[in-house]
Amino acid sequence: MSFEPKYELCPGTELPKAAVNPGNPQPLLSPPLLHAPPFLKGKEDKDSRAISHETVASDKDEEAPIFTTSRMLLDPATGRLLYIGDSASLSFLQLVRMIVENVSGRSPFTTDPRRHQILENTTSIPQGFRHTHVLPDSQTALILVESFFINTNGILHVFDEKLFFAELERCYFDPLKIDPSWLCLLNLVFSIGLLLASPAPNTIESNTIEKLRAEPIDHAEIFYLNAKNLNDPSSGFEDAGYWSIQALLLMTLYMLAVSKRNAAFAYFGMAVRSAFALGLHREETYVIFQNPERKSRRNLWRSLYIFDRFLSLSLGRPTAISEDDCSGDTLKPIEFSLLPPPIDSSEINFLGLQASLKTCHVIGIILKKVYQTRRVSTKLAQEIAEECKKWHQHVGPSLHWAQASTATPSQGVAILHVNLFYCHSIILLCRPFFLAHLMGEIKKASGTPMLRPQRFGQRMERFALACVIASTHSILLVQNAFDRGILSRRNPVSLYFLFAASLIVLSNEFGQVYVNPPAKARINSAIHIMAYCAETDPQALRLMYILTTFRDVVASQNDRPRTRLLPTAEDPMANLFTPLEADFPLLPPPGDERVRTGSLSEVLDLGAMPGPLTVGSDDSSGEEAIDFESFWNWPLGAQRFDGAVVGDGSVPLYALAHGT
């Protein structure tokens, strides 16, 4: 039977031009869709009606499929449609837009003309520019290299810092004897150091950086192009060596910093393949090297692993590194209790790398078991939460977020990166539960009739609550770095995590799910920081517009009673990382005898709940499973022509893909 869908757009809905064939006005849809997407309506194949929308309630634990919010976004520069998966904030953003538009109507937030596009920056160097490969003066070089090591602390360990500075001194003493491959790496370090530099004002460092940035030509891009001209690691990729893996990873970071995410994804894939070819993933290959070389290779492999998880979660694409393929201690972090106290920035970087490594291990589990399967239950979430709570074993006191106010710039950046990764692992795990709660509260407030009564159980509520707590704390972490003057305008890691957390906090305010006293101040702070970054970063400018228009929608909402409360203390984030005995109580909703706490550890500890429930128990205490299909009934109350509820559960890629 041929499948010939006949769809028409809902009023006011636009599709990207790339999704329409010029010779045929009908949208190009991925072959055959089981059900119409939310913004399309019309006839469907008769056989598709046999698909049941009923979700069977589990008798053992609360379970919920992940929302199919994958998207194909247009790259305006090339006309390509690029895949963005479920874990990405851009996918979550589109789901929020759908909710907001059906509750509050059309607004600049929901009708954003660029909502179907992905920002991919373009080069600014004029054609015909001559590359002289001239190195900056030695003082400028030292400032740029120092900026590189400061601003990559906790997530990147490509070089031994002391050895690199020693090689830099030899380079300026006798540059003709320096290998072109090392000069390539040096120019990449210059480029990233200039992009990420955030020196204290009225210092030699700030005067030097401002002078470079004030010139009409982008010197960061010049350094990057010089590196490629000296010895392009992507040329002759099949013969890649150890230095080329280092270079490709640095190029990945550069591309992320200049908002070229797809290019970063491509370069990173080359780096990982080359690393596999050299055996960096296997412990037994290290025995032929001396100890310094072993440490260097292990740290490079761990840096690749951290960036692999970051790219995967931020783009919603499959991971490139599987832990099953690795052996020995290549990806095993060391507990801080087994390490001596750090005495310099290189040791703090190593310690930060261990903490980020542990978090990325948890993130990998979440991506595989939750977002790849598109289902999550409280039982699975609790198992992962137990792994999250082990994170503190790999973080020493020097990386505790409370140390940020007195930390050196190098230590402060490591604290920022390490704690942001940890908070986002909690957000990633708990976001499906928060979405379920958000949609349930909105439907309840609208008086929409439901197919069957729904109860948001205690265990699911714990994870939804943790999502809001971790998001609010993420904003506070970035704000602390900003207040101390160590936040880079072009840091892709902090920028992404700040945006992801801000979306959660704004969504909570829109749905009025939890009372979050510092929310208004945190959102204003996040937008202010975005504006600061937007002075040089086009990606930040785009994100600032999204957050500002969303905030305007939230501000226009009429207040209504909230059924769940966050702490009434001055700042509910203050005890996020405290031991359980230091927790303070939250105010429960009226008639609710439960006592909840502000500590993320206890919020995620389902075994501490009253009653017979224990961690790992199959007893659901009578709580029903949530039917996520009913939450995709947007617009509220919409019905299919055959009487069944319209849902998105079967739409694989936001209904947009190349095809004929």
Side-chain angles (χ1 to χ4, degrees):
M1 177 181 298
S2 63
F3 184 85
E4 298 179 354
K6 297 180 180 179
Y7 297 123
E8 60 182 88
L9 287 173
C10 292
T13 303
E14 300 176 3
L15 280 175
K17 293 180 180 179
V20 180
N21 188 329
N24 181 4
Q26 181 172 317
L28 300 176
L29 302 175
S30 50
L33 299 177
L34 297 180
H35 300 290
F39 50 76
L40 299 174
K41 61 181 182 179
K43 297 181 179 180
E44 293 179 306
D45 190 296
K46 180 178 179 180
D47 293 342
S48 70
R49 304 177 199 173
I51 303 296
S52 173
H53 283 275
E54 294 297 325
T55 301
V56 180
S58 170
D59 293 332
K60 296 186 178 182
D61 52 79
E62 297 171 288
E63 189 173 279
I66 298 301
F67 303 119
T68 31
T69 53
S70 308
R71 305 183 65 198
M72 295 291 283
L73 297 181
L74 175 69
D75 177 4
T78 63
R80 298 175 300 170
L81 289 171
L82 301 177
Y83 175 77
I84 301 296
D86 298 319
S87 64
S89 291
L90 289 178
S91 292
F92 174 73
L93 169 64
Q94 184 58 23
L95 178 60
V96 171
R97 281 197 180 112
M98 293 165 56
I99 296 171
V100 170
E101 181 165 3
N102 283 281
V103 172
S104 302
R106 294 165 65 82
S107 65
F109 173 67
T110 62
T111 60
D112 182 354
R114 292 184 290 172
R115 66 191 181 278
H116 296 301
Q117 299 178 2
I118 185 170
L119 177 63
E120 292 286 300
N121 204 8
T122 56
T123 58
S124 59
I125 300 299
Q127 290 186 352
F129 179 81
R130 295 183 60 186
H131 300 279
T132 61
H133 303 159
V134 175
L135 296 175
D137 62 85
S138 58
Q139 184 182 52
T140 300
L142 286 171
I143 291 172
L144 294 177
V145 172
E146 184 178 6
S147 170
F148 167 82
F149 282 105
I150 288 175
N151 288 285
T152 57
N153 244 319
I155 56 172
L156 189 71
H157 201 303
V158 177
F159 312 105
D160 180 282
E161 186 173 345
K162 295 177 182 178
L163 294 178
F164 192 89
F165 274 106
E167 187 68 18
L168 178 65
E169 185 177 349
R170 283 193 292 271
C171 173
Y172 274 82
F173 179 76
D174 192 356
L176 295 180
K177 292 185 178 180
I178 300 298
D179 188 87
S181 60
W182 195 87
L183 289 176
C184 168
L185 294 172
L186 179 61
N187 275 274
L188 289 172
V189 168
F190 286 159
S191 177
I192 295 170
L194 180 55
L195 273 176
L196 302 184
S198 182
N202 302 319
T203 60
I204 296 176
E205 290 81 4
S206 65
N207 293 336
T208 302
I209 296 299
E210 289 171 6
K211 181 181 178 182
L212 288 171
R213 290 174 174 171
E215 297 187 16
I217 293 181
D218 185 352
H219 276 278
E221 190 169 350
I222 292 296
F223 288 134
Y224 173 79
L225 294 176
N226 282 345
K228 295 196 68 174
N229 275 271
L230 282 164
N231 204 352
D232 187 356
S234 61
S235 178
F237 167 61
E238 64 277 5
D239 300 320
Y242 183 75
W243 78 269
S244 62
I245 301 173
Q246 295 173 305
L248 287 166
L249 181 54
L250 294 178
M251 290 168 67
T252 299
L253 176 55
Y254 173 83
M255 287 298 172
L256 286 173
V258 297
S259 304
K260 294 184 178 181
R261 286 163 289 187
N262 210 59
F265 186 74
Y267 281 130
F268 181 78
M270 297 171 68
V272 171
R273 289 294 184 184
S274 299
F276 281 143
L278 297 189
L280 296 188
H281 61 302
R282 305 297 297 184
E283 181 79 16
E284 55 269 25
T285 65
Y286 291 15
V287 296
I288 63 175
F289 300 101
Q290 297 298 320
N291 191 52
E293 182 71 10
R294 293 182 193 178
K295 290 175 60 178
S296 176
R297 288 175 172 257
R298 184 178 290 108
N299 288 333
L300 178 59
W301 177 246
R302 291 174 174 180
S303 300
L304 287 166
Y305 178 77
I306 290 170
F307 269 78
D308 178 48
R309 290 332 189 230
F310 176 72
L311 283 167
S312 183
L313 71 87
S314 61
L315 294 175
R317 297 176 185 174
T319 56
I321 298 174
S322 170
E323 293 188 34
D324 294 338
D325 296 328
C326 305
S327 66
D329 295 336
T330 53
L331 293 178
K332 184 179 179 180
I334 305 173
E335 293 187 18
F336 78 89
S337 60
L338 303 177
L339 296 171
I343 59 175
D344 56 30
S345 59
S346 62
E347 293 185 4
I348 289 176
N349 188 17
F350 178 76
L351 189 61
L353 202 71
Q354 307 306 306
S356 297
L357 190 66
K358 175 59 182 177
T359 304
C360 287
H361 167 70
V362 176
I363 288 173
I365 295 174
I366 297 170
L367 293 174
K368 180 178 181 179
K369 294 189 176 182
V370 177
Y371 287 90
Q372 183 176 325
T373 61
R374 293 184 169 181
R375 297 191 74 83
V376 61
S377 66
T378 50
K379 181 179 179 181
L380 172 61
Q382 180 58 37
E383 292 173 356
I384 299 175
E386 293 301 314
E387 286 291 319
C388 290
K389 288 190 287 185
K390 297 177 183 177
W391 177 78
H392 297 281
Q393 300 172 8
H394 305 279
V395 182
S398 60
L399 293 179
H400 192 282
W401 69 273
Q403 300 292 328
S405 59
T406 58
T408 63
S410 181
Q411 182 184 359
V413 171
I415 290 172
L416 175 67
H417 287 154
V418 165
N419 286 277
L420 279 178
F421 262 101
Y422 173 66
C423 284
H424 194 75
S425 69
I426 301 298
I427 294 171
L428 207 61
L429 173 64
C430 301
R431 194 166 64 189
F433 300 105
F434 170 74
L435 276 170
H437 201 1
L438 173 66
M439 289 181 166
E441 292 298 314
I442 288 176
K443 282 191 172 185
K444 187 189 302 181
S446 67
T448 303
M450 301 184 184
L451 296 180
R452 60 191 176 98
Q454 292 184 344
R455 297 172 59 193
F456 197 82
Q458 284 180 283
R459 293 185 291 176
M460 282 192 170
E461 185 181 338
R462 288 239 174 176
F463 290 107
L465 173 63
C467 186
V468 179
I469 293 176
S471 298
T472 311
H473 190 73
S474 293
I475 299 175
L476 181 60
L477 286 167
V478 181
Q479 180 185 327
N480 287 342
F482 173 75
D483 292 340
R484 290 214 53 225
I486 62 173
L487 181 67
S488 169
R489 285 186 169 96
R490 303 297 291 264
N491 187 327
V493 174
S494 60
L495 190 70
Y496 177 83
F497 289 151
L498 176 64
F499 178 67
S502 300
L503 284 180
I504 296 291
V505 176
L506 277 167
S507 299
N508 178 67
E509 292 302 296
F510 176 80
Q512 299 186 343
V513 181
Y514 296 102
V515 175
N516 189 3
K520 184 176 180 180
R522 295 289 179 265
I523 291 301
N524 289 337
S525 174
I527 293 176
H528 178 65
I529 293 171
M530 285 292 183
Y532 162 79
C533 297
E535 294 177 13
T536 59
D537 189 353
Q539 178 70 15
L541 182 64
R542 173 79 182 117
L543 300 182
M544 182 184 70
Y545 174 82
I546 294 171
L547 294 181
T548 302
T549 54
F550 195 4
R551 180 187 61 179
D552 293 342
V553 172
V554 172
S556 66
Q557 291 297 296
N558 295 323
D559 291 336
R560 59 177 181 268
R562 309 192 194 195
T563 60
R564 303 292 187 272
L565 304 177
L566 275 176
T568 55
E570 180 180 351
D571 189 347
M573 301 305 106
N575 288 351
L576 184 63
F577 295 112
T578 56
L580 295 182
E581 58 269 17
D583 293 338
F584 54 94
L586 301 182
L587 290 178
D592 192 337
E593 300 299 327
R594 288 170 289 164
V595 176
R596 290 185 293 274
T597 67
S599 166
L600 209 55
S601 296
E602 179 146 336
V603 169
L604 294 177
D605 185 8
L606 302 189
M609 292 177 60
L613 180 65
T614 58
V615 176
S617 169
D618 288 338
D619 181 16
S620 67
S621 300
E623 294 173 353
E624 290 186 299
I626 289 183
D627 181 1
F628 275 43
E629 284 290 333
S630 64
F631 291 136
W632 279 99
N633 184 15
W634 299 101
L636 294 173
Q639 299 288 319
R640 269 211 341 254
F641 68 93
D642 61 353
V645 178
V646 176
D648 259 26
S650 306
V651 181
L653 297 175
Y654 192 55
L656 301 178
H658 285 298
T660 55

